Amino acid sequence: MVFATPLLWGLATPAVAADAIVTDIRVGKQDQQTRLVLELSGRIAFNAFTLADPYRVVIDLPEVGWRLPARPLPARTGLLKSLRYGLFKPGTTRIVLDVTGPTRISQAFLLDPGGAQSYRLVLDMALTTRQAMLGKPQSKPPTAAAIPPKPVQKASLPFAPPLRKPAAKGQKPKPRKRVIIIDPGHGGVDPGTLGRSGTYEKHVTLSAARALKQHLEKTGRYTVKLTRNRDVFIRLRDRVAIARDAGGELFISVHADAIKNRNIRGLSVYTLSERASDKEAAALADKENKADLIAGIDLSNESQEVTNILIDLAQRESMNQSARFAASLVKDLRKEVKVLRNTHRFAGFAVLKAPDIPSILVELGFLSNRQDEKELRTKSFRRRLARGMLTSIDAFFARIEEAQRR
Ligand SMILES: [Zn+2]
């Protein structure tokens, strides 16, 4: 069960400075209280609330800039385990605090500048009981749960792109552009994996996605849509919805991994299956599926996606197509970049669950490996990646057209 105990704190006057900048975050412990202080360049409105499973404290601000001192973010102080921040959606910056147990916000307020001090947002937290946290009737946090679940799309036939009209005699049909969705993993408040020398997965995935888009569109054969084109958080199911709305015919989610063994490197490719092909694949899917939790989303009123036979069928067919595409991709990419041995594995990734769009997930490499981390940041890597991908993508659509002619 997931539960939210929101406490809403707003300012009476909507004196929102759109260009406020956070200049420091401090966390301290005093008796039973843990205090968080944000230093701000201007006056802002904010919401703060708590979530359970896991226990989190969430602070939503208008979109702010960040100019923090060059030292690590606060961690392991009082109730605070760790902290992250980033754009939650356009217009909303979110700070998420992982806390050690059921927490209540005892007070939260904004202080005007005084002396050498700038504006400060102060939030005090104290331990409470789980019962107290869950027991109260409560309203929902406005930013988290307000998005109604999207109705399940009627499944179309197992991935059958519309047939083209037969061309007039002597006239070559002008092929329509295929629509490809590239999904840069993570973003905003969810940074993804952190590399050995500080590279964020969310930045690596966006650069690779942009380069890939450019390379594919240059051919004139493809229209490429990115699920995000800036450093913003997108929930997993919204990534799938974006793909459907855009009429995507192929969905490629781009990530970068990290692992304890720092010697392991190389790209790997995953497709969806109900059962993961091995323990590591299962653990990876688990990790990637946690993005919504990491971003401080209340999952208590998520509706279970209704499945029916049609969706099942479509899914099976698109799963086969995904698997075939992944296999050819591994082959083509091997010529261009370092590929993990034994790659193309199967795991239950939430982001690959569009029933009617063949979907794969690519882990570009391991940010836990120094060489990979360095490599993934280079233009040359992105160019080779795009080249290998294009070969496989061309073959993928050629196969579909071939099947239609028969
Ligand atoms: Zn990832």
Side-chain angles (χ1 to χ4, degrees):
M1 194 188 70
V2 185
F3 217 93
T5 312
L7 283 165
L8 304 182
W9 312 82
L11 293 171
T13 46
V16 177
D19 53 355
I21 288 165
V22 181
T23 52
D24 201 4
I25 303 184
R26 292 187 303 270
V27 174
K29 191 178 174 272
Q30 237 179 16
D31 302 327
Q32 305 306 317
Q33 300 274 339
T34 302
R35 169 167 286 192
L36 172 127
V37 180
L38 282 190
E39 283 198 20
L40 295 153
S41 68
R43 210 177 160 73
I44 52 163
F46 66 97
N47 283 337
F49 54 91
T50 60
L51 293 170
D53 305 320
Y55 296 117
R56 287 156 292 166
V57 174
V58 177
I59 307 163
D60 280 343
L61 314 171
E63 203 169 320
V64 293
W66 295 85
R67 204 174 298 141
L68 297 182
R71 56 172 145 79
L73 286 171
R76 283 187 224 109
T77 308
L79 289 171
L80 177 77
K81 278 204 284 195
S82 63
L83 172 159
R84 59 193 162 269
Y85 64 83
L87 203 56
F88 178 64
K89 60 182 180 188
T92 307
T93 291
R94 174 167 285 190
I95 302 170
V96 183
L97 288 71
D98 292 311
V99 286
T100 53
T103 298
R104 75 187 162 82
I105 298 170
S106 30
Q107 55 175 349
F109 53 89
L110 197 79
L111 283 173
D112 285 333
Q117 305 260 41
S118 54
Y119 286 96
R120 277 146 297 152
L121 191 165
V122 179
L123 183 135
D124 285 339
M125 298 162 278
L127 209 56
T128 182
T129 60
R130 181 176 172 85
Q131 211 173 12
M133 193 174 170
L134 306 185
K136 270 184 251 155
Q138 27 92 51
S139 60
K140 290 284 166 197
T143 46
I147 312 152
K150 280 232 161 84
V152 174
Q153 237 199 2
K154 254 179 89 186
S156 56
L157 282 176
F159 188 62
L163 287 169
R164 268 187 259 119
K165 271 196 203 132
K169 251 184 219 159
Q171 211 186 333
K172 263 212 144 189
K174 194 170 182 268
R176 76 186 168 82
K177 287 190 184 181
R178 298 290 189 169
V179 182
I180 298 173
I181 311 296
I182 314 252
D183 171 47
H186 311 277
V189 67
D190 165 24
T193 276
L194 187 64
R196 283 196 68 186
S197 32
T199 309
Y200 280 126
E201 180 182 356
K202 65 176 181 179
H203 296 319
V204 168
T205 61
L206 183 56
S207 322
R210 283 178 177 155
L212 198 51
K213 173 182 165 75
Q214 207 185 15
H215 192 73
L216 295 175
E217 287 190 334
K218 223 166 50 192
T219 64
R221 297 192 287 279
Y222 304 107
T223 301
V224 177
K225 182 163 169 80
L226 305 186
T227 54
R228 67 177 178 96
N229 199 7
R230 61 183 293 207
D231 187 14
V232 64
F233 173 77
I234 314 266
R235 5 165 81 191
L236 294 174
R237 68 150 185 241
D238 287 343
R239 294 171 187 264
V240 177
I242 289 169
R244 283 178 181 152
D245 292 349
E249 297 170 87
L250 183 61
F251 180 91
I252 301 171
S253 192
V254 180
H255 289 256
D257 203 359
I259 198 167
K260 254 207 190 117
N261 182 342
R262 292 170 164 186
N263 296 321
I264 292 179
R265 54 175 305 221
L267 175 147
S268 47
V269 178
Y270 294 83
T271 51
L272 183 68
S273 98
E274 293 307 312
R275 272 244 212 97
S277 56
D278 56 42
K279 259 209 321 239
E280 275 134 53
L284 176 66
D286 233 41
K287 201 163 65 182
E288 302 290 10
N289 289 343
K290 285 209 170 92
D292 287 353
L293 277 185
I294 284 166
I297 284 182
D298 174 20
L299 296 169
S300 56
N301 55 0
E302 293 284 298
S303 73
Q304 186 105 47
E305 271 216 345
V306 187
T307 52
N308 59 33
I309 271 181
L310 260 184
I311 287 181
D312 248 28
L313 271 175
Q315 181 128 322
R316 201 162 314 142
E317 177 53 24
S318 75
M319 257 155 73
N320 289 339
Q321 296 209 0
S322 308
R324 270 200 301 275
F325 174 62
S328 92
L329 192 61
V330 169
K331 215 178 73 217
D332 290 328
L333 285 178
R334 219 182 266 291
K335 295 171 200 151
E336 304 284 355
V337 300
K338 165 98 180 139
V339 170
L340 192 68
R341 226 187 315 158
N342 258 331
T343 187
H344 184 203
R345 297 192 280 182
F346 305 87
F349 293 101
V351 79
L352 301 183
K353 280 185 177 152
D356 41 6
I357 308 174
S359 310
I360 63 154
L361 186 142
V362 179
E363 297 278 353
L364 298 175
F366 290 89
L367 292 179
S368 42
N369 176 278
R370 272 202 201 287
Q371 237 175 316
D372 261 11
E373 182 181 20
K374 217 170 121 196
E375 170 101 341
L376 261 50
R377 300 176 61 153
T378 63
K379 241 189 194 157
S380 142
F381 173 84
R382 293 194 283 269
R383 196 173 48 235
R384 285 175 282 126
L385 175 80
R387 206 155 56 196
M389 286 254 188
L390 175 62
T391 309
S392 281
I393 290 169
D394 281 342
F396 173 80
F397 285 112
R399 212 157 39 228
I400 286 172
E401 271 156 37
E402 180 64 39
Q404 278 173 355
R405 271 196 293 273
R406 261 183 267 138

